[in-house]
Amino acid sequence: MYMQRFESIFQCPVCTSPMKIIELKSVVCDQHHTFDIAKQGYVNFLTRPVHSEYDKALFEARKTVIDSGLYERLHSMIREIIDEEKAPKVLDTGCGEGSHLSHILRDVSGAVGVGIDIAKEGILSAAKYYDDFIWCVGDLANSPFSKESFDIILNILSPANYAEFTRLVKQDGLLIKVVPKSGYLKEIRDIFYTEAYSNEQTVERFKENFRNMETYQLSYKVPLHENLIQPLLQMTPLTWNKIDGANEVHITEITIDLEILVGRKK
Ligand SMILES: C[S@@+](CC[C@H](N)C(=O)[O-])C[C@H]1O[C@@H](n2cnc3c(N)ncnc32)[C@H](O)[C@@H]1O
Ligand SMILES: [Zn+2]
């Protein structure tokens, strides 16, 4: 089993002792805290049930949109940033249904991809579609990984935990955080009257916690096929509780407006 080759990345989320994979069935620590490997191949490391607003329909919609190639330029930009690392171990934090990680690591030779998300529905989908990755349900605030296990930490449109990023990334490793800018998905916000994204505080916090080596801006518009309108509306919290008139929504293009922050440990 793929995961077994990398069991040294795991550390018990209950007692922090090292873990082993036993009989391809469970991940067990020295103190016998045990987490089962689901038949789909992921591991649930949550020590208590967590309710997530992110459900199956949202993750399916995200998968459709990401697989459509809307974020291809983001993926190739990140691929170029991590290009210098040989056979990198990459952790995607708040990976959702795993499509970003899988697209980014396509053709990165020897890469090991690990995704963690607190929403089980996301990880379930990731494990279903993407083999040869390690998928974990878990809370970033209490993660199941040993210190300095990763060359690259990705944090794409998800909440950060800088204490954990600092613990988990190798001394010379990179943190790559993607944050929305004011124009991101603006055609949807225009319809639902939601506020523009402001990322000032997010960027501030990044710089307080990591040495900001480089910041890339990525802004473009993509023509939108009709089939993608529905999934686009479903994939984002922007429209939660507001989607009745979705059939009447006419958008012909969509704006991607992102900032990519690259940092090293202080
Ligand atoms: C807006 S979604 C982005 C998902 C994915 N990165 C993407 O761009 O498609 C934010 C994700 O962060 C996850 N998340 C929020 N808090 C988390 C935590 N404490 N630990 C792990 N994941 C978390 C959510 O479950 C959700 O999947
Ligand atoms: Zn333990």
Side-chain angles (χ1 to χ4, degrees):
M1 179 202 265
Y2 184 75
M3 199 187 301
Q4 198 156 33
R5 288 166 43 205
F6 306 104
E7 68 181 3
S8 66
I9 68 168
F10 293 113
Q11 152 182 317
C12 180
V14 179
C15 70
T16 75
S17 18
M19 303 190 90
K20 287 212 154 34
I21 293 172
I22 307 287
E23 294 174 357
L24 308 183
K25 273 211 234 111
S26 38
V27 188
V28 181
C29 84
D30 294 352
Q31 308 292 321
H32 309 293
H33 297 121
T34 301
F35 301 88
D36 292 337
I37 301 173
K39 65 174 188 305
Q40 298 88 349
Y42 69 88
V43 189
N44 188 338
F45 284 103
L46 287 177
T47 49
R48 59 189 168 84
V50 174
H51 173 74
S52 169
E53 301 279 344
Y54 292 84
D55 62 6
K56 189 169 177 221
L58 177 141
F59 286 118
E60 277 173 4
R62 279 192 107 80
K63 179 173 173 57
T64 304
V65 171
I66 297 169
D67 283 349
S68 78
L70 189 63
Y71 294 92
E72 197 45 55
R73 288 177 56 185
L74 172 68
H75 299 151
S76 49
M77 203 164 201
I78 296 179
R79 211 177 294 125
E80 272 168 39
I81 297 168
I82 66 178
D83 190 40
E84 285 160 26
E85 302 282 339
K86 296 269 171 301
K89 284 203 175 75
V90 182
L91 175 67
D92 187 0
T93 56
C95 65
E97 47 63 60
S99 295
H100 285 307
L101 183 62
S102 122
H103 286 248
I104 289 164
L105 292 187
R106 187 181 299 154
D107 302 331
V108 177
S109 85
V112 180
V114 182
I116 183 168
D117 201 286
I118 204 164
K120 184 176 158 194
E121 290 297 348
I123 294 299
L124 194 59
S125 169
K128 187 165 134 196
Y129 290 106
Y130 304 116
D131 295 338
D132 293 349
F133 285 84
I134 296 169
W135 299 115
C136 306
V137 182
D139 184 352
L140 196 47
N142 187 25
S143 85
F145 307 117
S146 334
K147 68 172 187 185
E148 307 202 343
S149 291
F150 299 99
D151 301 288
I152 309 283
I153 294 194
L154 302 176
N155 185 228
I156 304 176
L157 304 169
S158 292
N161 183 322
Y162 290 105
E164 271 302 88
F165 295 163
T166 303
R167 190 180 72 81
L168 295 176
V169 75
K170 290 182 188 171
Q171 197 51 44
D172 55 356
L174 291 180
L175 168 63
I176 302 174
K177 180 167 176 65
V178 178
V179 293
K181 293 199 346 175
S182 62
Y184 184 57
L185 306 182
K186 81 176 171 53
E187 293 78 2
I188 296 181
R189 268 181 299 101
D190 287 349
I191 297 169
F192 293 94
Y193 307 108
T194 45
E195 281 174 31
Y197 288 106
S198 160
N199 65 25
E200 224 170 282
Q201 284 187 347
T202 313
V203 172
E204 231 7 71
R205 288 210 54 220
F206 183 98
K207 291 180 179 170
E208 279 162 25
N209 288 282
F210 270 68
R211 277 189 292 141
N212 186 198
M213 310 305 288
E214 206 82 59
T215 300
Y216 301 92
Q217 312 296 331
L218 186 63
S219 296
Y220 55 92
K221 279 188 203 292
V222 182
L224 202 58
H225 192 278
E226 224 180 303
N227 296 347
L228 279 185
I229 295 178
Q230 205 65 29
L232 250 180
L233 295 174
Q234 274 172 5
M235 78 167 205
T236 154
L238 287 176
T239 59
W240 277 350
N241 309 324
K242 298 185 188 163
I243 322 194
D244 328 339
N247 293 340
E248 281 141 53
V249 169
H250 297 291
I251 314 175
T252 52
E253 58 178 13
I254 190 85
T255 304
I256 300 295
D257 188 20
L258 300 168
E259 194 154 78
I260 304 166
L261 303 162
V262 182
R264 285 194 195 277
K265 264 209 252 216
K266 281 195 172 168

